[in-house]
Amino acid sequence: MDERSNDAAAADSAPVPDPAASAPSSGGLSRRGLLGLALGGGVASLAAGVGAGFVGGAAVARAEAVEDAQRAYDFFGAHQAGITTPVQEHLHFAAFDMMPRTDRDDLISLLQDWSYAASRMAAGLEVSATGAVGGDAEVPPDDTGEALGLPAASLTITIGFGPSLFENEEGDRYGIAARRPEGLERLPAFLGDDLDPQSSHGDLCIQACADDPQVAVHAIRNLSRIAFGRARLRWSQLGFGKTSRTTSAQATPRNLFGYKDGTANILADDADALAAHVWVGADDEPAWLAGGSYLVARRIAMLIETWDRVRLSEQDTIVGRDKGSGAPLSGGDEFTAPDFGTSAIDANSHVRLAHPEQNGGIRILRRGFNYVNGNNDLGRLDAGLFFLSYQRDPAQFISLQRALSTDRMNEYIRHVGSGIWAVPRGARQGSYVGAELFA
């Protein structure tokens, strides 16, 4: 990858340091991590308008695209990047299970190796100093090489710990069961769930977001190789076209139903809302998670063909907003607060049931993406929303999801995948993600 990077401001990001000086205390990749690079099989899965009247706009768009491609976010910081960072255009999300008979040292070395490699890739570098072509030609290279010549592309890598990491059928494998957060347990069953166990849960998760899909895939592929012998990929998901915004400069994107999504999302510059609803507080338990958050992932299949046969007025009623402008049906523009005192917004519309005003002020930070996984056996699109949310307490998501039990949109969606992870605070330079858990 291109070793040049530009600084960018973000609530959980700082100027990119010299990655050569930011290796974890293990001194780069461990011996086992290097073995994974040598032997592990990577996991790879993978407009602007034209016209004379739009030349100026197209030029600006191209310039912005170049700037986005070259932007880099520091892996180290008070919070992990990829939460309040401006939402990128592409996602590769992966869940991992630790291998049987691994021990505490294996887990710690894996997190050290992941943090070191992630810090380099986030800076636009290869996973190690020798990289894809700089090592011994008679052994497999450290880096898979498909991102050679590509800039950092706003890459962020976020790591989380699932409930089963702390204790599973094998018991307290890593001596951390007593430090499991009380709220970190598998989500309860919700009305409409049709979960695939093979596409749910996981001991660990990695969220890689970037403005270039190849950069995001490269990150997961190489972190999977590094995990060889210690963890294996359980499931993964590619996403495109963000469905929420995290900064006021970003326009509200649309989901695959064609509606603006995430209009009322918590923004990166709203420090009070982040402290109240997203970051685990210093007085919360456990203390090692302070400054972190909880991540919920839900793969929500959309019944596209069924939805596409619904008349527009009915679609608006189901959502509670105007499809074109995004304004609530009670009037105003996209950012006008809905007026639930009128009959204009249906009592079981999505907007009404999900709104903080109807849920005791509960808010979450959404960071979802669209997905299309080809067609299913019936020849219909296997497509939908890969929902990602960050919250201070898992109870926030559980309360909101239960409130949506009568949502009229439920007729057109199915929840087919699920997972929850504790996301530790950001790593300090010279350390690694989750170090406080093992202190």
Side-chain angles (χ1 to χ4, degrees):
M1 299 174 76
D2 191 338
E3 299 199 7
R4 295 170 298 174
S5 60
N6 294 329
D7 295 342
D12 54 356
S13 305
V16 177
D18 178 4
S22 37
S25 56
S26 59
L29 296 181
S30 68
R31 181 182 177 194
R32 196 153 181 192
L34 290 171
L35 178 63
L37 289 172
L39 300 179
V43 179
S45 55
L46 290 190
V50 177
F54 298 93
V55 170
V60 171
R62 286 194 297 271
E64 291 176 346
V66 170
E67 181 180 351
D68 288 344
Q70 294 176 341
R71 184 174 291 120
Y73 294 106
D74 191 357
F75 177 78
F76 300 102
H79 308 292
Q80 288 197 62
I83 302 175
T84 61
T85 309
V87 186
Q88 303 93 321
E89 293 297 331
H90 300 277
L91 164 80
H92 195 180
F93 187 95
F96 295 82
D97 284 337
M98 293 296 292
M99 296 293 289
R101 295 179 295 281
T102 50
D103 59 22
R104 184 185 179 98
D105 289 341
D106 291 323
L107 175 58
I108 291 174
S109 70
L110 175 60
L111 294 172
Q112 290 173 332
D113 291 347
W114 272 358
S115 297
Y116 174 66
S119 70
R120 289 184 60 88
M121 289 189 287
L125 304 174
E126 298 165 74
V127 299
S128 72
T130 57
V133 297
D136 186 344
E138 300 307 315
V139 299
D142 286 358
D143 190 292
T144 52
E146 71 273 21
L148 280 174
L150 297 179
S154 305
L155 175 67
T156 57
I157 296 171
T158 314
I159 298 171
F161 303 161
S164 54
L165 183 69
F166 293 83
E167 190 170 15
N168 68 0
E169 60 276 4
E170 296 178 18
D172 184 5
R173 299 168 289 174
Y174 310 116
I176 56 176
R179 310 201 74 186
R180 179 180 67 85
E182 183 177 352
L184 184 65
E185 55 186 34
R186 286 192 177 184
L187 296 170
F190 298 110
L191 185 67
D193 277 3
D194 186 18
L195 303 182
D196 175 7
Q198 301 306 313
S199 298
S200 300
H201 316 305
D203 292 344
L204 299 159
C205 76
I206 300 177
Q207 172 195 283
C209 300
D211 287 319
D212 185 325
Q214 188 145 319
V215 170
V217 169
H218 170 264
I220 294 297
R221 179 180 177 185
N222 282 270
L223 295 173
S224 297
R225 295 180 76 220
I226 289 169
F228 178 79
R230 293 171 289 184
R232 64 174 182 83
L233 187 72
R234 180 180 176 92
W235 59 272
S236 69
Q237 179 65 58
L238 290 170
F240 69 92
K242 58 183 179 284
T243 61
S244 296
R245 64 185 190 128
T246 54
T247 70
S248 57
Q250 293 178 314
T252 307
R254 294 182 185 269
N255 58 36
L256 293 183
F257 281 166
Y259 280 80
K260 291 189 174 184
D261 213 338
T263 294
N265 202 29
I266 297 174
L267 301 182
D269 60 358
D270 192 344
D272 291 341
L274 291 171
H277 302 288
V278 178
W279 305 129
V280 175
D283 296 330
D284 296 340
E285 294 292 341
W288 67 263
L289 193 55
S293 190
Y294 291 91
L295 167 62
V296 169
R298 303 278 285 181
R299 182 184 284 150
I300 304 174
M302 292 177 165
L303 307 183
I304 299 293
E305 290 80 4
T306 304
W307 176 264
D308 289 346
R309 291 192 292 269
V310 177
R311 65 182 186 274
L312 177 59
S313 61
E314 179 67 9
Q315 290 182 356
D316 282 353
T317 298
I318 292 168
V319 175
R321 290 186 179 273
D322 177 84
K323 192 169 192 174
S325 67
L329 295 184
S330 54
D333 60 24
E334 179 192 345
F335 299 103
T336 299
D339 181 357
F340 299 119
T342 74
S343 60
I345 301 178
D346 189 274
N348 292 309
S349 66
H350 183 75
V351 162
R352 185 186 185 100
L353 294 176
H355 199 275
E357 186 179 309
Q358 308 297 311
N359 292 285
I362 292 175
R363 300 179 68 189
I364 58 178
L365 189 156
R366 295 182 52 182
R367 199 183 171 88
F369 290 82
N370 297 311
Y371 76 85
V372 176
N373 292 339
N375 296 340
N376 60 25
D377 293 341
L378 299 176
R380 297 174 180 172
L381 281 177
D382 179 2
L385 168 67
F386 191 68
F387 174 95
L388 296 167
S389 70
Y390 288 88
Q391 44 272 307
R392 182 176 179 173
D393 188 322
Q396 294 166 241
F397 174 81
I398 293 170
S399 295
L400 286 176
Q401 191 60 37
R402 285 175 171 162
L404 294 173
S405 62
T406 60
D407 189 350
R408 294 185 60 170
M409 192 178 291
N410 289 340
E411 184 178 349
Y412 305 95
I413 61 175
R414 298 289 184 271
H415 290 247
V416 296
S418 180
I420 183 170
W421 295 268
V423 176
R425 69 184 73 169
R428 302 186 308 274
Q429 288 199 37
S431 187
Y432 60 95
V433 169
E436 295 79 9
L437 173 60
F438 303 97

